[in-house]
Amino acid sequence: STYINNQTVYITVTAKETNGVVISGANVNVTITNSSNKVLASLTGTTNTSGVVTFSYRIRTKTTGTGTMTVVATASKTGYIS
């Protein structure tokens, strides 16, 4: 996707078992890094009864032109193995 400076990006994570069943109440951590691997944001949340959590992040850059950001999400819940 392409975004511009000061635009808000919405990141939706769905936690599921390997058989596709959603996991409610899972703890989700999202890390956003730039192309230099600098952490721009660390976000945390908990999935709802549908196994979904949505985060928002405002793009804030001091440079002009294009760039790349990487989003990594991990989910965990007691009793589940990742």
Side-chain angles (χ1 to χ4, degrees):
S1 299
T2 303
Y3 301 95
I4 59 173
N5 196 31
N6 289 317
Q7 185 174 5
T8 299
V9 176
Y10 296 94
I11 302 158
T12 300
V13 177
T14 304
K16 294 182 180 183
E17 296 183 46
T18 55
N19 62 5
V21 175
V22 298
I23 303 172
S24 65
N27 299 311
V28 179
N29 297 305
V30 170
T31 303
I32 303 170
T33 57
N34 65 12
S35 58
S36 299
N37 211 29
K38 176 184 175 189
V39 175
L40 303 175
S42 293
L43 312 169
T44 59
T46 304
T47 58
N48 62 18
T49 57
S50 299
V52 176
V53 61
T54 300
F55 302 93
S56 63
Y57 174 73
R58 182 175 296 274
I59 303 291
R60 293 188 181 135
T61 181
K62 296 178 182 175
T63 60
T64 58
T66 60
T68 301
M69 293 183 184
T70 301
V71 177
V72 175
T74 58
S76 62
K77 184 174 180 179
T78 301
Y80 290 86
I81 300 171
S82 57

PDB file of all heavy atoms in Angstrom, residues 11 16 19 23 32 46-47 49 52 56-60 67 71 82:
ATOM      1  N   ILE A  11      -4.099  -0.991  10.876  1.00  0.00           N
ATOM      2  CA  ILE A  11      -3.518  -2.325  10.780  1.00  0.00           C
ATOM      3  C   ILE A  11      -4.455  -3.272  11.529  1.00  0.00           C
ATOM      4  O   ILE A  11      -4.666  -3.126  12.731  1.00  0.00           O
ATOM      5  CB  ILE A  11      -2.116  -2.362  11.410  1.00  0.00           C
ATOM      6  CG1 ILE A  11      -1.218  -1.335  10.723  1.00  0.00           C
ATOM      7  CG2 ILE A  11      -1.527  -3.766  11.352  1.00  0.00           C
ATOM      8  CD1 ILE A  11      -0.032  -0.910  11.549  1.00  0.00           C
ATOM      9  N   LYS A  16      -5.720 -16.691  14.571  1.00  0.00           N
ATOM     10  CA  LYS A  16      -6.429 -17.938  14.270  1.00  0.00           C
ATOM     11  C   LYS A  16      -5.572 -19.143  14.628  1.00  0.00           C
ATOM     12  O   LYS A  16      -4.346 -19.091  14.571  1.00  0.00           O
ATOM     13  CB  LYS A  16      -6.746 -18.022  12.769  1.00  0.00           C
ATOM     14  CG  LYS A  16      -7.713 -16.991  12.269  1.00  0.00           C
ATOM     15  CD  LYS A  16      -7.992 -17.213  10.790  1.00  0.00           C
ATOM     16  CE  LYS A  16      -8.975 -16.192  10.254  1.00  0.00           C
ATOM     17  NZ  LYS A  16      -9.287 -16.466   8.838  1.00  0.00           N
ATOM     18  N   ASN A  19      -6.291 -24.513  12.257  1.00  0.00           N
ATOM     19  CA  ASN A  19      -7.488 -25.001  11.577  1.00  0.00           C
ATOM     20  C   ASN A  19      -8.453 -23.882  11.206  1.00  0.00           C
ATOM     21  O   ASN A  19      -9.554 -24.135  10.723  1.00  0.00           O
ATOM     22  CB  ASN A  19      -8.200 -26.053  12.428  1.00  0.00           C
ATOM     23  CG  ASN A  19      -8.686 -25.498  13.761  1.00  0.00           C
ATOM     24  OD1 ASN A  19      -8.583 -24.312  14.031  1.00  0.00           O
ATOM     25  ND2 ASN A  19      -9.202 -26.370  14.605  1.00  0.00           N
ATOM     26  N   ILE A  23      -9.119 -16.856  17.605  1.00  0.00           N
ATOM     27  CA  ILE A  23      -8.718 -16.876  19.009  1.00  0.00           C
ATOM     28  C   ILE A  23      -9.074 -15.526  19.628  1.00  0.00           C
ATOM     29  O   ILE A  23      -8.461 -14.511  19.326  1.00  0.00           O
ATOM     30  CB  ILE A  23      -7.214 -17.148  19.152  1.00  0.00           C
ATOM     31  CG1 ILE A  23      -6.835 -18.460  18.471  1.00  0.00           C
ATOM     32  CG2 ILE A  23      -6.816 -17.165  20.628  1.00  0.00           C
ATOM     33  CD1 ILE A  23      -5.346 -18.710  18.390  1.00  0.00           C
ATOM     34  N   ILE A  32       6.425  -1.595  14.144  1.00  0.00           N
ATOM     35  CA  ILE A  32       6.592  -0.934  12.852  1.00  0.00           C
ATOM     36  C   ILE A  32       8.013  -0.395  12.790  1.00  0.00           C
ATOM     37  O   ILE A  32       8.443   0.337  13.688  1.00  0.00           O
ATOM     38  CB  ILE A  32       5.589   0.224  12.675  1.00  0.00           C
ATOM     39  CG1 ILE A  32       4.156  -0.315  12.825  1.00  0.00           C
ATOM     40  CG2 ILE A  32       5.784   0.911  11.323  1.00  0.00           C
ATOM     41  CD1 ILE A  32       3.104   0.777  12.908  1.00  0.00           C
ATOM     42  N   THR A  46      -5.590  -6.480  22.394  1.00  0.00           N
ATOM     43  CA  THR A  46      -6.180  -7.790  22.655  1.00  0.00           C
ATOM     44  C   THR A  46      -7.286  -8.043  21.636  1.00  0.00           C
ATOM     45  O   THR A  46      -8.100  -7.149  21.360  1.00  0.00           O
ATOM     46  CB  THR A  46      -6.762  -7.839  24.083  1.00  0.00           C
ATOM     47  OG1 THR A  46      -5.716  -7.512  25.007  1.00  0.00           O
ATOM     48  CG2 THR A  46      -7.310  -9.205  24.418  1.00  0.00           C
ATOM     49  N   THR A  47      -7.317  -9.264  21.103  1.00  0.00           N
ATOM     50  CA  THR A  47      -8.342  -9.585  20.105  1.00  0.00           C
ATOM     51  C   THR A  47      -9.729  -9.646  20.743  1.00  0.00           C
ATOM     52  O   THR A  47      -9.890 -10.011  21.900  1.00  0.00           O
ATOM     53  CB  THR A  47      -8.046 -10.925  19.408  1.00  0.00           C
ATOM     54  OG1 THR A  47      -7.977 -11.961  20.396  1.00  0.00           O
ATOM     55  CG2 THR A  47      -6.743 -10.867  18.619  1.00  0.00           C
ATOM     56  N   THR A  49     -13.975 -10.914  20.385  1.00  0.00           N
ATOM     57  CA  THR A  49     -14.593 -12.237  20.280  1.00  0.00           C
ATOM     58  C   THR A  49     -14.492 -12.821  18.872  1.00  0.00           C
ATOM     59  O   THR A  49     -14.649 -14.025  18.690  1.00  0.00           O
ATOM     60  CB  THR A  49     -16.072 -12.205  20.712  1.00  0.00           C
ATOM     61  OG1 THR A  49     -16.766 -11.232  19.911  1.00  0.00           O
ATOM     62  CG2 THR A  49     -16.204 -11.848  22.184  1.00  0.00           C
ATOM     63  N   VAL A  52     -10.145 -10.478  16.337  1.00  0.00           N
ATOM     64  CA  VAL A  52      -9.629  -9.328  15.586  1.00  0.00           C
ATOM     65  C   VAL A  52      -9.253  -8.184  16.526  1.00  0.00           C
ATOM     66  O   VAL A  52      -9.956  -7.909  17.491  1.00  0.00           O
ATOM     67  CB  VAL A  52     -10.686  -8.828  14.572  1.00  0.00           C
ATOM     68  CG1 VAL A  52     -10.216  -7.573  13.846  1.00  0.00           C
ATOM     69  CG2 VAL A  52     -11.035  -9.919  13.581  1.00  0.00           C
ATOM     70  N   SER A  56      -4.074   1.774  14.977  1.00  0.00           N
ATOM     71  CA  SER A  56      -3.888   2.910  14.076  1.00  0.00           C
ATOM     72  C   SER A  56      -2.503   3.498  14.298  1.00  0.00           C
ATOM     73  O   SER A  56      -1.982   3.485  15.418  1.00  0.00           O
ATOM     74  CB  SER A  56      -4.961   3.979  14.294  1.00  0.00           C
ATOM     75  OG  SER A  56      -4.883   4.514  15.594  1.00  0.00           O
ATOM     76  N   TYR A  57      -1.914   3.976  13.214  1.00  0.00           N
ATOM     77  CA  TYR A  57      -0.580   4.576  13.267  1.00  0.00           C
ATOM     78  C   TYR A  57      -0.540   5.728  12.276  1.00  0.00           C
ATOM     79  O   TYR A  57      -0.905   5.572  11.115  1.00  0.00           O
ATOM     80  CB  TYR A  57       0.502   3.535  12.907  1.00  0.00           C
ATOM     81  CG  TYR A  57       1.888   4.140  12.810  1.00  0.00           C
ATOM     82  CD1 TYR A  57       2.573   4.525  13.947  1.00  0.00           C
ATOM     83  CD2 TYR A  57       2.485   4.355  11.572  1.00  0.00           C
ATOM     84  CE1 TYR A  57       3.832   5.097  13.869  1.00  0.00           C
ATOM     85  CE2 TYR A  57       3.746   4.923  11.488  1.00  0.00           C
ATOM     86  CZ  TYR A  57       4.411   5.292  12.637  1.00  0.00           C
ATOM     87  OH  TYR A  57       5.652   5.867  12.548  1.00  0.00           O
ATOM     88  N   ARG A  58      -0.106   6.893  12.754  1.00  0.00           N
ATOM     89  CA  ARG A  58       0.006   8.063  11.877  1.00  0.00           C
ATOM     90  C   ARG A  58       1.416   8.116  11.294  1.00  0.00           C
ATOM     91  O   ARG A  58       2.397   8.094  12.026  1.00  0.00           O
ATOM     92  CB  ARG A  58      -0.299   9.358  12.619  1.00  0.00           C
ATOM     93  CG  ARG A  58      -0.243  10.590  11.697  1.00  0.00           C
ATOM     94  CD  ARG A  58      -0.670  11.851  12.404  1.00  0.00           C
ATOM     95  NE  ARG A  58      -2.045  11.807  12.820  1.00  0.00           N
ATOM     96  CZ  ARG A  58      -3.088  12.154  12.056  1.00  0.00           C
ATOM     97  NH1 ARG A  58      -2.892  12.534  10.824  1.00  0.00           N
ATOM     98  NH2 ARG A  58      -4.305  12.096  12.530  1.00  0.00           N
ATOM     99  N   ILE A  59       1.478   8.180   9.974  1.00  0.00           N
ATOM    100  CA  ILE A  59       2.759   8.290   9.280  1.00  0.00           C
ATOM    101  C   ILE A  59       3.347   9.660   9.599  1.00  0.00           C
ATOM    102  O   ILE A  59       2.708  10.684   9.350  1.00  0.00           O
ATOM    103  CB  ILE A  59       2.593   8.147   7.751  1.00  0.00           C
ATOM    104  CG1 ILE A  59       1.919   6.830   7.397  1.00  0.00           C
ATOM    105  CG2 ILE A  59       3.928   8.310   7.041  1.00  0.00           C
ATOM    106  CD1 ILE A  59       2.736   5.610   7.655  1.00  0.00           C
ATOM    107  N   ARG A  60       4.559   9.651  10.146  1.00  0.00           N
ATOM    108  CA  ARG A  60       5.247  10.918  10.462  1.00  0.00           C
ATOM    109  C   ARG A  60       6.680  10.790   9.991  1.00  0.00           C
ATOM    110  O   ARG A  60       7.451  10.024  10.539  1.00  0.00           O
ATOM    111  CB  ARG A  60       5.210  11.193  11.957  1.00  0.00           C
ATOM    112  CG  ARG A  60       3.806  11.457  12.439  1.00  0.00           C
ATOM    113  CD  ARG A  60       3.803  11.921  13.868  1.00  0.00           C
ATOM    114  NE  ARG A  60       2.422  12.134  14.260  1.00  0.00           N
ATOM    115  CZ  ARG A  60       1.906  11.734  15.386  1.00  0.00           C
ATOM    116  NH1 ARG A  60       2.643  11.115  16.264  1.00  0.00           N
ATOM    117  NH2 ARG A  60       0.646  11.970  15.664  1.00  0.00           N
ATOM    118  N   GLY A  67       9.570   5.691   0.874  1.00  0.00           N
ATOM    119  CA  GLY A  67      10.273   4.884   1.853  1.00  0.00           C
ATOM    120  C   GLY A  67       9.481   3.625   2.129  1.00  0.00           C
ATOM    121  O   GLY A  67       8.349   3.470   1.690  1.00  0.00           O
ATOM    122  N   VAL A  71       5.794  -3.981   8.978  1.00  0.00           N
ATOM    123  CA  VAL A  71       4.910  -4.246  10.110  1.00  0.00           C
ATOM    124  C   VAL A  71       5.010  -5.724  10.450  1.00  0.00           C
ATOM    125  O   VAL A  71       4.835  -6.584   9.588  1.00  0.00           O
ATOM    126  CB  VAL A  71       3.446  -3.890   9.766  1.00  0.00           C
ATOM    127  CG1 VAL A  71       2.520  -4.236  10.925  1.00  0.00           C
ATOM    128  CG2 VAL A  71       3.328  -2.418   9.394  1.00  0.00           C
ATOM    129  N   SER A  82       2.803 -21.139  19.660  1.00  0.00           N
ATOM    130  CA  SER A  82       2.992 -20.424  18.403  1.00  0.00           C
ATOM    131  C   SER A  82       3.963 -21.142  17.500  1.00  0.00           C
ATOM    132  O   SER A  82       4.650 -22.041  17.878  1.00  0.00           O
ATOM    133  CB  SER A  82       3.492 -19.009  18.649  1.00  0.00           C
ATOM    134  OG  SER A  82       4.682 -19.031  19.389  1.00  0.00           O
TER     135      SER A  82
END
